[in-house]
Amino acid sequence: MKQKAPLTQEEKRAIKSRLREIDGVLNEPSTQNLVPYNTMFKDGIAQVSRSYFGKGQRHDFFSKTLKFGDVNYQLADIEKQSDIFEKYCDILNYFDDSIKFQLTFETSRRDNERLSKKLDIPLEGDEDDGIRTEYSDKVLKPKLLEGNNGNELIKFLTFGVHAKSLKDARPKLNNLQEELLMLFKKMGVEVTPLDAKLRLAVLYRALNPFRRNRFLFDWDYMKQIGSSTKDYIAPSSVVFSKKSFELGDCYGSVMSVNIIASELKDRILFDFLEENQLLCINLHVDPFDQLEAQKKVANKLLNKKAEKAEKQRKIAMEGSDIDNLPGGLKDTIEQLEELERDVKSKNERLFNVTLTIRSYAKTKAKMALQCETLRRICQKNNCILLMLDYMQEEALCASLPLGVNKIYHKRLLHTSSLAAFVPFISRELFDIDNPRAIYIGLNTLTQRMILVDLLKLKNPNSLILGVPGSGKTFASKRMLVNVKLKTPDDVFICDPEGEYTPIVMKSNGQVIKLSSASTHYINPMDIPFGIKLDSDEDPIADKSDFILSFMELVAGGRYGLEPHEHTAIDRAVRKIYEDFLGNNPCAENMPILEDLYEHLLMYREETKRLTDALEMYIHGSHNLFNNRTNVDIDNRIVCFDIKNLGSSLKKIGMLTVIENVWNRVSANRSVGRNTWFGCDEFHLLLRDEQTARYCVEIWKRFRKWGGIPIGITQNVSDFLMSPEIENIFKNTEFCLLLNQASDDQELLMEKFKISESQMNYVTNSEPGCGLVKFGDVILPFTDRFPQDTELYKLMTTKLSDLFPNDGDSDVANDKSSENQGSENVPLVAQSVGD
């Protein structure tokens, strides 16, 4: 092989010159160099820095970040809060001395303009477009701006390990991640591991706080053009000064907090974060080895005791009382002794903690004001705010969720003290990206909008509970109008007080008024036919259950139906529908109550009580329900107004309406459409055993068939009359609790696991205020519906709103439920029964 000639001096000088050129380019000042990581890998692992241990053996530091959510803490009872606190301590104690971790709590500004567009309800070119526009422009969007929806609190846990290479680090980090996911799951906290794109988006927001354009990043395109991930997140410019820095078009400062207090309140974190500022609080935590921690505490205690002995010796030489020691020394020794016991015998570990606060503002003046506010908050919590003079670059890097910390203001804390920075308030229900989400009100604690989609629950069954005047009917109207405007679902309403007519007619719906004088009828013997049923379904058996409930109201009396009467009714029903389905089943041949009456007459001896009671509903004054259905309810929103049925027929009317809606649910299921059913005065059907059983069964089955029932009532105790009726509580995932009677509050606390602090929100609360239960989340809400809207005028039942000049008159009370909203409503929208 031919040997290469050695380099000449001129060639060596040329190479050195080129290397200096390259080195100058690489080390040229750049905002990309500010970002303190070397490489970001696609799965979200970052190679942060390089360290050297031992004899030239290289170890790199790799980190990973989790985003975690919230859990109801502030409103929980003491026992629940203690449980959450202990589980959070378990998470902190999970990290040993080989793992560094960082907790980041950052307030981020949402783009209200973009969020506002998500609240637009698409117009469909029909009569409802006016209501859609008013609902989105005058109700939803103002609530977005009124509430604290522009600010978002985001929480991250970053953890890292030293390893020789990515190959060694990845399994360690993934194993840590799985364990942490499990620990958070035990708390009921949602956790999202961040991949590279999500992690870069977090860094982009931290380094570009006021930029309106969204973070755009494509991994494949970056590789194609040969750029770096830092190019996508670096700020446009940065200038550091003594106590602050200019970052692009804003000003910032990072400060450290020196914790003086021996005990911390569990609200210290939110004393900072509830300020309407762009803040980021970071806790860099280095865990101690447990044996090393015990030695460290023992040495500190030994030193303090030696200091005490020396002071006592000096005091004795002066002839004074040796117990006359400085109070601070006594307190320190007592605290160290307690800490030593905790570290040795309790679930307490030691951590070196660096606490920093990053603040952003548009101007220097605002920056100075924010620093003054933070200083006062520190004083309130017995802490000192330290300005990190000439360390702003290192401090800014430490404020990024990467696990980098070159700030050496450290405080020794044990587990309980570190856990005092508990990052939980309450879970938010802000599903703004979901077009089906229903507006409930503002979260009373955080002032965020509550937007929920009931179909995301295990079952969407709902209850609205409250005393008269608490806003139950208004809340149900608002929910059902929301459904009508934003979804393709059908809406049915059973209205015992005639209160829904105006809003239904304005929504181009149909109102069916059932009364003894009406010429339009609903047949309780209707049965669905001509639709595809599952093989395990028996429509005749379902109909038999309903007729048993119907006859319980008609003939049950005080002691209910006898067993032989049950048998006779079931036998008659089966015969009637076997004949109907076997011989030209059509609407014109649908059985009516008279068919049932005639079949029961065939067994007169055992059914005499039934036929005698049923005769009035066949040939007597209550023959309203002995007719075939002659109204077309093929409308998206239908209201059954049964106000004028009278007390003797009202429960029968409600039961018949439920059965009719069940038939529609069956038909809608075959085409994949959901059916909402609001039943006001729901408690009326729970007072008779058979009808209650029927309602419970419907409540259980609605979910499977695409039905969403909403029971509206003031009588909570009716749900607890029997274990069977109590199943309605057990099968209800969504509930609005408005102002509650004192007798009902203890029942609700027990059944819904509501704490005393939460119950305060339904004690003497104003109309439209209370608690919302969504699955296992319970939040206080406030709904102030704008009164200058047409929707409010259509939905309100307050006499002072409907009749401002004669609101005290009895005549106005009678008119309020029949005539409200009748002006300017097209006749085509009114009931065919009017």
Side-chain angles (χ1 to χ4, degrees):
M1 178 180 292
K2 188 176 180 181
Q3 192 173 2
K4 288 185 178 181
L7 293 174
T8 65
Q9 291 295 327
E10 186 177 347
E11 288 173 331
K12 288 180 180 179
R13 283 195 296 270
I15 290 173
K16 286 182 179 179
S17 174
R18 180 58 181 157
L19 287 175
R20 280 195 299 270
E21 257 181 49
I22 295 172
D23 187 57
V25 171
L26 292 176
N27 292 289
E28 184 179 351
S30 167
T31 57
Q32 281 89 339
N33 294 338
L34 174 69
V35 187
Y37 70 81
N38 294 332
T39 308
M40 181 71 70
F41 298 97
K42 199 169 185 179
D43 59 358
I45 296 177
Q47 180 188 348
V48 178
S49 62
R50 293 178 178 175
S51 305
Y52 293 87
F53 299 95
K55 295 180 180 180
Q57 188 178 23
R58 192 186 79 184
H59 283 74
D60 297 340
F61 184 71
F62 297 87
S63 71
K64 198 166 177 57
T65 298
L66 305 177
K67 177 183 175 182
F68 63 95
D70 219 324
V71 68
N72 293 329
Y73 178 79
Q74 283 195 7
L75 287 179
D77 55 32
I78 299 298
E79 183 179 349
K80 181 64 175 175
Q81 282 189 341
S82 298
D83 181 60
I84 294 172
F85 190 84
E86 288 176 7
K87 288 178 178 175
Y88 186 52
C89 287
D90 289 341
I91 292 176
L92 299 177
N93 285 336
Y94 174 74
F95 298 98
D96 59 32
D97 60 318
S98 67
I99 308 165
K100 294 183 178 181
F101 67 98
Q102 175 186 356
L103 291 162
T104 304
F105 311 110
E106 184 169 7
T107 57
S108 173
R109 290 197 187 279
R110 289 176 177 267
D111 186 346
N112 278 342
E113 184 178 343
R114 183 175 63 87
L115 292 179
S116 184
K117 289 180 180 179
K118 291 179 179 291
L119 295 175
D120 284 327
I121 303 176
L123 303 182
E124 298 183 9
D126 57 18
E127 297 85 348
D128 290 338
D129 278 352
I131 301 179
R132 288 189 181 95
T133 301
E134 181 184 70
Y135 189 61
S136 61
D137 291 348
K138 291 190 175 183
V139 179
L140 298 180
K141 292 181 180 179
K143 294 299 179 184
L144 180 74
L145 300 176
E146 175 187 337
N148 190 25
N149 302 285
N151 287 340
E152 180 184 16
L153 175 59
I154 315 174
K155 293 168 282 192
F156 303 104
L157 171 60
T158 302
F159 53 94
V161 297
H162 287 95
K164 295 178 183 178
S165 64
L166 175 66
K167 183 179 179 181
D168 291 335
R170 180 170 279 137
K172 292 180 182 179
L173 292 172
N174 288 340
N175 184 59
L176 283 169
Q177 176 178 294
E178 292 304 314
E179 293 289 336
L180 289 168
L181 290 177
M182 192 177 302
L183 290 170
F184 275 114
K185 186 178 180 180
K186 289 179 180 178
M187 295 181 67
V189 176
E190 295 181 1
V191 183
T192 304
L194 301 188
D195 60 15
K197 187 173 182 179
L198 292 174
R199 204 167 178 191
L200 291 171
V202 171
L203 295 172
Y204 173 84
R205 286 197 301 269
L207 293 169
N208 302 272
F210 290 99
R211 281 199 185 175
R212 304 291 292 181
N213 56 311
R214 299 174 64 186
F215 170 69
L216 299 174
F217 175 78
D218 182 84
W219 189 271
D220 295 331
Y221 180 71
M222 181 199 72
K223 292 293 186 183
Q224 182 180 340
I225 64 175
S227 63
S228 165
T229 56
K230 295 184 182 182
D231 297 335
Y232 292 85
I233 62 175
S236 58
S237 64
V238 60
V239 179
F240 292 101
S241 59
K242 179 180 178 181
K243 297 183 179 185
S244 62
F245 52 87
E246 294 182 42
L247 191 70
D249 58 350
C250 72
Y251 295 86
S253 179
V254 182
M255 297 142 279
S256 179
V257 177
N258 186 13
I259 302 170
I260 301 174
S262 57
E263 292 185 5
L264 297 169
K265 296 183 298 183
D266 61 358
R267 271 196 57 84
I268 181 172
L269 183 62
F270 292 100
D271 283 346
F272 292 106
L273 294 175
E274 68 185 1
E275 294 296 320
N276 190 23
Q277 302 177 11
L278 280 183
L279 293 180
C280 179
I281 296 179
N282 279 275
L283 292 107
H284 286 273
V285 186
D286 293 339
F288 278 89
D289 176 76
Q290 192 68 354
L291 291 177
E292 184 185 344
Q294 292 177 15
K295 290 179 183 177
K296 189 175 185 68
V297 174
N299 288 335
K300 277 199 168 189
L301 181 58
L302 189 62
N303 291 336
K304 288 297 176 183
K305 285 183 176 180
E307 182 181 346
K308 175 185 174 182
E310 179 63 21
K311 287 187 180 293
Q312 285 178 328
R313 185 182 66 79
K314 289 182 179 180
I315 291 171
M317 290 176 64
E318 294 172 358
S320 301
D321 185 359
I322 62 171
D323 292 328
N324 189 20
L325 289 168
L329 182 58
K330 288 182 180 180
D331 292 341
T332 301
I333 291 174
E334 289 176 2
Q335 292 167 12
L336 285 170
E337 287 175 341
E338 183 179 357
L339 179 59
E340 186 178 42
R341 289 193 298 271
D342 290 343
V343 171
K344 286 183 177 179
S345 59
K346 294 184 180 179
N347 191 26
E348 296 285 345
R349 297 192 57 195
L350 283 188
F351 305 92
N352 260 333
V353 180
T354 300
L355 173 57
T356 63
I357 302 177
R358 186 187 70 218
S359 179
Y360 285 136
K362 276 286 190 179
T363 65
K364 283 186 176 181
K366 286 185 178 180
M367 187 75 254
L369 287 174
Q370 288 181 187
C371 290
E372 285 300 317
T373 302
L374 294 172
R375 184 172 284 106
R376 285 193 294 271
I377 295 172
C378 284
Q379 289 174 350
K380 171 186 169 184
N381 289 279
N382 202 7
C383 300
I384 298 176
L385 190 68
L386 302 174
M387 305 306 293
L388 297 174
D389 295 353
Y390 303 110
M391 294 185 65
Q392 289 297 302
E393 180 174 356
E394 293 85 353
L396 177 58
C397 293
S399 73
L400 303 176
L402 288 167
V404 175
N405 178 31
K406 294 183 180 179
I407 306 300
Y408 300 105
H409 292 276
K410 299 190 183 225
R411 173 71 154 86
L412 190 66
L413 295 177
H414 61 295
T415 305
S416 297
S417 296
L418 179 58
F421 294 90
V422 57
F424 306 116
I425 305 179
S426 66
R427 285 177 59 181
E428 294 290 354
L429 300 172
F430 187 57
D431 197 3
I432 195 169
D433 294 318
N434 188 341
R436 293 187 58 95
I438 295 173
Y439 168 69
I440 302 300
L442 296 181
N443 184 332
T444 308
L445 288 177
T446 62
Q447 293 302 300
R448 296 282 294 279
M449 286 181 77
I450 299 177
L451 293 167
V452 295
D453 180 6
L454 270 61
L455 296 183
K456 287 189 173 182
L457 295 169
K458 289 186 292 186
N459 71 69
N461 300 347
S462 307
L463 289 172
I464 301 178
L465 308 174
V467 299
S470 60
K472 299 187 303 296
T473 302
F474 194 97
S476 66
K477 290 176 185 176
R478 187 194 64 233
M479 285 180 61
L480 295 174
V481 165
N482 198 316
V483 172
K484 171 67 164 59
L485 297 179
K486 297 182 69 177
T487 75
D489 303 347
D490 287 348
V491 176
F492 285 80
I493 303 158
C494 182
D495 183 9
E497 297 297 330
E499 296 177 313
Y500 292 78
T501 297
I503 189 62
V504 171
M505 291 195 300
K506 186 62 178 177
S507 300
N508 202 35
Q510 185 175 10
V511 178
I512 299 171
K513 292 191 175 182
L514 299 178
S515 68
S516 298
S518 175
T519 58
H520 295 83
Y521 311 110
I522 300 294
N523 181 12
M525 299 290 287
D526 279 343
I527 190 173
F529 63 95
I531 62 174
K532 186 177 180 180
L533 300 173
D534 290 345
S535 59
D536 59 346
E537 294 165 6
D538 186 352
I540 298 178
D542 293 340
K543 198 66 187 181
S544 178
D545 287 341
F546 166 72
I547 297 299
L548 284 170
S549 300
F550 185 92
M551 291 302 298
E552 186 79 39
L553 291 177
V554 170
R558 182 176 180 182
Y559 300 105
L561 299 178
E562 298 290 338
H564 69 275
E565 292 172 329
H566 277 252
T567 301
I569 293 170
D570 182 68
R571 182 171 58 223
V573 169
R574 289 192 171 276
K575 178 61 178 171
I576 289 169
Y577 288 106
E578 284 173 3
D579 292 344
F580 168 71
L581 294 173
N583 298 300
N584 188 26
C586 61
E588 292 76 14
N589 296 332
M590 185 68 67
I592 57 176
L593 278 180
E594 191 167 357
D595 296 319
L596 176 65
Y597 176 75
E598 291 176 355
H599 273 77
L600 292 175
L601 281 176
M602 296 169 60
Y603 308 96
R604 181 67 176 174
E605 291 183 6
E606 56 183 294
T607 62
K608 184 178 187 306
R609 189 167 74 103
L610 298 178
T611 53
D612 288 348
L614 194 56
E615 185 171 358
M616 180 171 63
Y617 296 87
I618 306 301
H619 304 299
S621 59
H622 289 174
N623 66 349
L624 168 68
F625 296 107
N626 187 37
N627 296 277
R628 291 186 176 90
T629 301
N630 67 346
V631 291
D632 182 10
I633 59 172
D634 193 20
N635 194 306
R636 277 201 55 217
I637 179 167
V638 178
C639 174
F640 297 92
D641 182 347
I642 61 173
K643 177 186 177 183
N644 296 321
L645 275 182
S647 58
S648 58
L649 282 176
K650 187 161 286 188
K651 285 194 283 189
I652 292 176
M654 292 178 73
L655 198 68
T656 301
V657 167
I658 291 178
E659 178 67 4
N660 196 273
V661 172
W662 176 249
N663 293 338
R664 180 64 169 267
V665 170
S666 301
N668 280 348
R669 183 202 188 196
S670 64
V671 295
R673 184 182 301 148
N674 294 302
T675 310
W676 295 68
F677 175 52
C679 186
D680 216 332
E681 305 295 336
F682 186 55
H683 59 276
L684 294 177
L685 293 175
L686 302 179
R687 293 175 178 172
D688 297 281
E689 184 179 353
Q690 182 62 39
T691 57
R693 280 202 298 268
Y694 176 76
C695 290
V696 171
E697 187 61 27
I698 288 290
W699 205 261
K700 291 179 180 178
R701 298 179 64 192
F702 251 56
R703 178 191 62 81
K704 177 185 174 184
W705 291 63
I708 299 111
I710 305 174
I712 305 144
T713 182
Q714 62 191 24
N715 297 68
V716 175
S717 56
D718 288 333
F719 288 98
L720 306 174
M721 290 189 302
S722 72
E724 186 170 7
I725 301 175
E726 195 176 351
N727 281 326
I728 291 179
F729 265 140
K730 295 177 181 177
N731 287 279
T732 296
E733 288 286 297
F734 178 83
C735 186
L736 289 183
L737 300 175
L738 301 163
N739 189 19
Q740 298 295 319
S742 56
D743 294 342
D744 293 333
Q745 291 186 12
E746 290 186 9
L747 296 173
L748 291 169
M749 289 176 67
E750 178 186 352
K751 298 303 175 185
F752 284 144
K753 309 300 182 188
I754 299 175
S755 69
E756 287 188 18
S757 54
Q758 289 172 328
M759 191 54 67
N760 289 333
Y761 288 92
V762 293
T763 303
N764 299 321
S765 58
E766 296 181 12
C769 303
L771 293 172
V772 55
K773 179 183 183 297
F774 185 80
D776 60 350
V777 180
I778 299 177
L779 296 178
F781 75 93
T782 302
D783 178 32
R784 304 277 186 245
F785 202 91
Q787 298 186 15
D788 60 343
T789 59
E790 186 177 1
L791 272 173
Y792 178 83
K793 296 172 185 176
L794 291 169
M795 293 193 292
T796 183
T797 55
K798 292 174 62 176
L799 291 181
S800 58
D801 293 327
L802 297 170
F803 303 98
N805 296 325
D806 57 343
D808 294 329
S809 70
D810 293 333
V811 176
N813 191 33
D814 291 335
K815 290 180 179 179
S816 65
S817 58
E818 292 188 19
N819 297 332
Q820 58 173 321
S822 59
E823 295 183 3
N824 302 320
V825 179
L827 289 176
V828 69
Q830 298 188 28
S831 164
V832 294
D834 287 343

